[in-house]
Amino acid sequence: MTAIDPTAHLTAEQIEELGRELDAIRDEVLADRGEKDAAYIRKVISAQRKLELVSRGVLLFSIFPPAWLIGTAGLSVAKIMDNMEIGHNILHGQWDWMRDPKIHSTTWEWDHVSPADQWKHSHNELHHTYTNVIGKDNDLGYGIMRVDEDQRWHPFHLGQPLWNFINACFFEYGIAAYDLELGKNLHKRRRKNPEFRARARAVGRKIRKQVLKDYVIHPLLSGPSFLTTLAATFTANLVRNLWTHSVIMCGHFPEGVQVFERRSIKGETRGQWYLRQMMGSANISGSKAMHFMTGNLSHQIEHHLFPDLPSNRYAEVAVKVRALFEKYELEYVTGPLPKQVFSAWHKVFRLSLPNKKPKVETPDREQELVAA
Amino acid sequence: MTSAALRSRAWKMLEMVTTPLLPSDYLDLVSPLRAGADLRGRIEAVHPETRDAATIVIRPGRGWRGHTAGQYVRVGVDVDGVRLWRAYSLTSPTHRQDGRVSITVKAIPGGKVSNHLVRRAKPGTLIQLDQATGDFVLPAAKPAKVLYLTAGSGITPVMGMLRDTEFDDVVMVHSAPQPQDVIFRDDLHRLVADKKLRLTELHTDTDGMLDISRLDELVPDWAERETWACGPAGLLDAAEEHWTAHGVRERLHTERFRPSIVAVGDGGEVTFSTTGKTADADGATPLLDVGEEAGVLMPSGCRMGICFGCVTPLKAGAVRDLRTGEITEAEPGVLIQTCVSAAAGPCDIER
Ligand code: FES
């Protein structure tokens, strides 16, 4: 939808061929998926649990500054692991094939205020199906930001760097509100909708449990370390929120990522769907540890192509996917974390102001945006 | 407050500490076999019995309620990362001092779990267990005369009986292709040497299949004996006919190992067992569409296999993944994505 379509040079046949080549990559992983992968996720889950236990244990003595530091760092990492490499990926069904009812998308619950089933709907279903389609994919700015020139500017957007920062700090609450489609549902009539109310109650319950655990029970258990434990948990949640927000911003916001019109996905073929995922996502380059801490969402492009492949496979898949980008002369948007975060934030700032050169909108286009 | 109420309150407290996980998720890290945990067992030894059979010695978790000789247990084993459940006869006596139990497994050609257990299982591995079950068991009152009629791996539940309870007068007729295929051969001959068992060993490769009418000659008083028979369907069918014909059917107890036979094909009748609806499906239409077409409320999302919003238990039959062509057969706990699965023969979907 950007002025120049970066896929314009591809013929319809080429796009279908690309789709077949991507299917072949997927099949290769499926054929080879097995014991090692299962052992991997089990190991990660058990490491996360141990780290959390130990960190919480250390925080019982957080009145001593070194204990506070170690415990807070450990808990932050544990929470990041829980949300990213474990929670996000299990909830995607990446590990359902193991048939272990405990590590399954239908039973998993995560350390997050958004209940797993609501998140699965807004993320797996809406975001992954309608990736970067304006008006369909609310991840595009989470409904509070303007992240593409083609979205209409409103004076409200002047404040978006600030909204984005606040959202980053309390990201898990932002996600919960987003999963509830709070903005849309707070209108008088929708508020009463029983289905919405039930979901809102579920979120309320989840928040209550999470807050009680982090800010009441664990501090109380720490006795004299009450306040320091409270501060530690708050810090860990803050760190986790800032981290996940940064990683997620890098997935679709950096410069070079394309957005799409609603009409463009009507009757979309498999190849075209793949192409949209390729052009609508961006990666983060870095070390193994870095990929791990992002839950392998640093391989966002691969994740969007194959959301149900086990995350530990994205690194090897990325090599083949990248070769396809080159073959079909497409831009593989990637870069180190600081660069991608900067790029995303830069866009947030830039688009908080109206477009420099207003484009001539066709009436049709205009309607589309109003509908959005 | 009663101690039970106190305990449940303490548990609630603990749940608040561990939310959104459960206390058991953490306890499982250190003590997976403790009382109160989901029932599991740890493989402690694997003893080869023949070239394609092995006895797996298992330490069951504290929740194990024991078994009766002749019963079987369902075990959940991770094979290539996938948890598969199968039933095997218990071959250990019911009151082993060390609290361990054993199953004896014969590797069947192409059998994922049996081959894994016989050839690849390692001591130390955790497996999932169900409680022992089955009514192929000995009666409370000891019969005076006993006949065990077995063939192949049909010996396994009977071995559990032989090891568990001694009778004064026990005869066994056992068939196997060759001497080296006889599972527990040494144990059986030791019992014979100790005069605890009279054994007729038939080798079907050389002697041919047991002709049931030969029983008169092998065990002349067979009709007076309480009989337990286990083996291939052919043997059991013949036995049931024979015992019925002689009017002593009530003396015969049989156990059939039923390998679930799934007809894999292209399309078939789909039963939606919760709503009781049925529909004919071809091999290319996603079950999600088939269900909706038939007026069944089917959960769905992306309709293209990526959101996992449509996963539904497959109760019976087989389905084909429309993307990969892979066949999934029904087993307890198997869930399928209805939007990318089509009927591969008759199947039953829990909706
Ligand atoms: S409906 Fe999304 S996976 Fe089936």
Side-chain angles (χ1 to χ4, degrees):
Chain A
M1 193 150 111
T2 332
I4 309 150
D5 178 1
T7 64
H9 62 286
L10 297 178
T11 65
E13 293 81 60
Q14 276 177 312
I15 294 174
E16 291 325 296
E17 177 58 23
L18 167 67
R20 278 191 293 277
E21 289 181 77
L22 284 166
D23 276 337
I25 294 177
R26 181 172 188 275
D27 290 349
E28 248 172 86
V29 176
L30 288 184
D32 174 61
R33 192 174 62 177
E35 206 167 302
K36 271 202 208 128
D37 303 283
Y40 169 79
I41 191 64
R42 291 218 167 88
K43 200 171 88 194
V44 173
I45 290 171
S46 118
Q48 189 277 337
R49 286 179 184 167
K50 286 175 189 152
L51 179 61
E52 177 164 356
L53 268 180
V54 170
S55 305
R56 299 264 189 199
V58 171
L59 284 177
L60 297 179
F61 310 96
S62 55
I63 201 160
F64 305 108
W68 189 90
L69 262 180
I70 294 170
T72 307
L75 190 58
S76 305
V77 172
K79 278 178 175 271
I80 288 172
M81 284 168 75
D82 173 90
N83 278 194
M84 307 295 268
E85 183 68 342
I86 302 173
H88 171 270
N89 296 334
I90 291 177
L91 293 178
H92 256 293
Q94 289 182 8
W95 303 99
D96 281 14
W97 58 273
M98 289 164 58
R99 298 188 186 171
D100 181 342
K102 300 220 159 162
I103 308 180
H104 200 276
S105 64
T106 54
T107 56
W108 193 263
E109 191 52 83
W110 57 348
D111 185 11
H112 197 284
V113 296
S114 180
D117 57 338
Q118 296 197 18
W119 180 83
K120 275 194 292 185
H121 170 71
S122 63
H123 180 86
N124 291 3
E125 193 181 322
L126 301 181
H127 168 56
H128 272 271
T129 314
Y130 302 111
T131 312
N132 287 25
V133 176
I134 290 187
K136 287 286 244 178
D137 179 7
N138 292 328
D139 272 37
L140 224 53
Y142 291 108
I144 53 169
M145 280 188 301
R146 180 172 174 258
V147 291
D148 191 87
E149 268 82 2
D150 287 351
Q151 285 172 303
R152 182 183 268 186
W153 183 84
H154 190 274
F156 168 83
H157 290 123
L158 281 171
Q160 74 178 18
L162 180 64
W163 318 145
N164 197 35
F165 178 69
I166 296 173
N167 186 33
C169 295
F170 299 98
F171 195 43
E172 59 174 328
Y173 293 91
I175 297 271
Y178 166 75
D179 292 346
L180 274 175
E181 298 188 273
L182 209 53
K184 198 159 89 190
N185 280 312
L186 277 187
H187 289 300
K188 255 207 195 108
R189 264 210 271 123
R190 297 222 184 165
R191 226 167 20 200
K192 294 224 180 75
N193 176 321
E195 193 256 348
F196 167 70
R197 294 177 67 122
R199 290 197 296 129
R201 267 199 307 276
V203 173
R205 268 197 306 275
K206 187 83 194 284
I207 293 180
R208 201 170 335 115
K209 279 191 188 168
Q210 291 287 99
V211 166
L212 205 62
K213 166 191 71 158
D214 274 349
Y215 300 128
V216 180
I217 305 215
H218 282 286
L220 277 177
L221 286 174
S222 307
S225 300
F226 180 91
L227 281 177
T228 48
T229 299
L230 189 96
T233 347
F234 182 79
T235 309
N237 279 330
L238 182 68
V239 169
R240 185 262 316 262
N241 287 345
L242 288 171
W243 175 256
T244 51
H245 179 268
S246 301
V247 169
I248 283 155
M249 279 236 300
C250 292
H252 302 288
F253 293 5
E255 303 285 357
V257 170
Q258 308 296 312
V259 298
F260 306 87
E261 294 180 48
R262 269 192 202 208
R263 329 175 260 218
S264 74
I265 63 163
K266 273 227 187 85
E268 202 176 46
T269 63
R270 180 120 181 111
Q272 286 167 334
W273 183 82
Y274 268 137
L275 188 61
R276 176 156 58 83
Q277 306 304 325
M278 292 168 82
M279 301 322 295
S281 313
N283 280 7
I284 308 168
S285 57
S287 65
K288 267 203 168 150
M290 155 83 206
H291 292 309
F292 178 77
M293 290 308 284
T294 65
N296 277 297
L297 293 183
S298 46
H299 297 299
Q300 187 76 226
I301 299 174
E302 290 73 22
H303 171 58
H304 262 269
L305 291 170
F306 312 115
D308 60 344
L309 287 191
S311 57
N312 59 326
R313 291 307 188 85
Y314 287 147
E316 69 189 63
V317 163
V319 181
K320 298 176 194 164
V321 168
R322 200 164 179 163
L324 284 185
F325 269 83
E326 268 159 36
K327 177 171 168 193
Y328 290 94
E329 293 169 32
L330 297 167
E331 190 195 355
Y332 189 82
V333 182
T334 184
L337 184 74
K339 176 179 159 233
Q340 298 297 80
V341 170
F342 176 81
S343 173
W345 271 99
H346 184 243
K347 203 182 211 177
V348 168
F349 271 94
R350 181 162 57 78
L351 293 169
S352 66
L353 301 172
N355 295 346
K356 284 215 191 81
K357 272 184 262 150
K359 285 200 284 185
V360 192
E361 305 274 13
T362 63
D364 194 25
R365 186 77 218 101
E366 190 67 16
Q367 251 177 11
E368 188 86 27
L369 290 175
V370 174
Chain B
M1 205 185 296
T2 65
S3 74
L6 209 63
R7 227 176 307 135
S8 93
R9 185 168 283 195
W11 194 252
K12 283 249 165 63
M13 245 332 255
L14 254 182
E15 279 176 5
M16 282 156 87
V17 173
T18 60
T19 191
L21 297 179
L22 296 171
S24 57
D25 293 322
Y26 289 97
L27 291 173
D28 282 351
L29 289 177
V30 285
S31 177
L33 300 183
R34 70 186 190 285
D38 288 353
L39 189 57
R40 305 182 181 90
R42 176 173 280 127
I43 296 181
E44 296 206 328
V46 179
H47 303 302
E49 296 284 355
T50 64
R51 56 192 165 170
D52 56 4
T55 291
I56 320 286
V57 181
I58 300 163
R59 170 164 310 281
R62 295 277 296 279
W64 176 250
R65 292 200 291 264
H67 73 282
T68 308
Q71 285 191 313
Y72 62 88
V73 62
R74 288 181 66 244
V75 299
V77 185
D78 293 340
V79 182
D80 294 333
V82 183
R83 181 156 307 162
L84 301 172
W85 287 84
R86 297 288 185 274
Y88 294 107
S89 295
L90 288 150
T91 49
S92 49
T94 49
H95 297 292
R96 256 176 90 133
Q97 287 302 316
D98 58 10
R100 299 190 289 184
V101 297
S102 71
I103 54 175
T104 301
V105 180
K106 182 169 161 15
I108 51 175
K112 280 191 193 154
V113 178
S114 61
N115 279 287
H116 178 88
L117 283 173
V118 171
R119 309 193 201 284
R120 287 169 56 204
K122 289 202 187 61
T125 310
L126 278 184
I127 59 174
Q128 314 297 312
L129 290 181
D130 269 354
Q131 298 292 350
T133 177
D135 37 18
F136 186 68
V137 293
L138 298 173
K142 273 194 185 190
K145 294 168 148 197
V146 171
L147 164 62
Y148 294 127
L149 179 61
T150 56
S153 56
I155 183 94
T156 52
V158 168
M159 198 62 203
M161 295 174 168
L162 272 173
R163 285 172 172 164
D164 192 72
T165 313
E166 268 184 37
F167 296 105
D168 303 331
D169 182 355
V170 188
V171 182
M172 174 182 254
V173 178
H174 178 65
S175 308
Q178 293 176 32
Q180 64 266 35
D181 296 316
V182 176
I183 308 175
F184 307 122
R185 191 156 194 252
D186 293 345
D187 302 65
L188 292 174
H189 285 276
R190 208 169 304 129
L191 286 171
V192 172
D194 292 350
K195 304 230 170 343
K196 290 184 174 154
L197 174 72
R198 274 186 290 150
L199 174 69
T200 303
E201 203 183 304
L202 298 171
H203 303 133
T204 52
D205 275 2
T206 45
D207 312 342
M209 293 289 183
L210 168 70
D211 175 2
I212 204 80
S213 60
R214 277 185 67 204
L215 259 188
D216 287 328
E217 148 209 342
L218 296 171
V219 189
D221 58 351
W222 65 268
E224 292 160 31
R225 293 179 178 267
E226 203 68 21
T227 301
W228 281 268
C230 184
L235 174 74
L236 300 183
D237 292 344
E240 279 170 5
E241 236 170 76
H242 195 64
W243 261 255
T244 309
H246 289 80
V248 284
R249 179 66 183 84
E250 72 286 350
R251 298 245 169 96
L252 176 69
H253 314 271
T254 55
E255 170 90 319
R256 286 168 192 269
F257 297 144
R258 277 167 240 255
S260 55
I261 294 159
V262 177
V264 173
D266 218 10
E269 188 182 53
V270 186
T271 308
F272 298 91
S273 46
T274 311
T275 48
K277 299 203 164 119
T278 57
D280 274 325
D282 60 33
T285 313
L287 290 164
L288 176 58
D289 296 345
V290 174
E292 286 177 344
E293 202 55 25
V296 180
L297 193 63
M298 304 285 286
S300 72
C302 66
R303 311 185 77 95
M304 57 183 293
I306 58 167
C307 76
F308 286 67
C310 62
V311 289
T312 302
L314 174 65
K315 304 303 274 185
V319 300
R320 179 177 287 109
D321 188 312
L322 288 165
R323 300 163 299 179
T324 58
E326 196 194 340
I327 298 281
T328 301
E329 288 181 11
E331 265 178 56
V334 167
L335 298 156
I336 53 157
Q337 287 168 279
T338 58
C339 71
V340 288
S341 303
C347 54
D348 182 338
I349 311 290
E350 194 182 286
R351 281 292 164 209

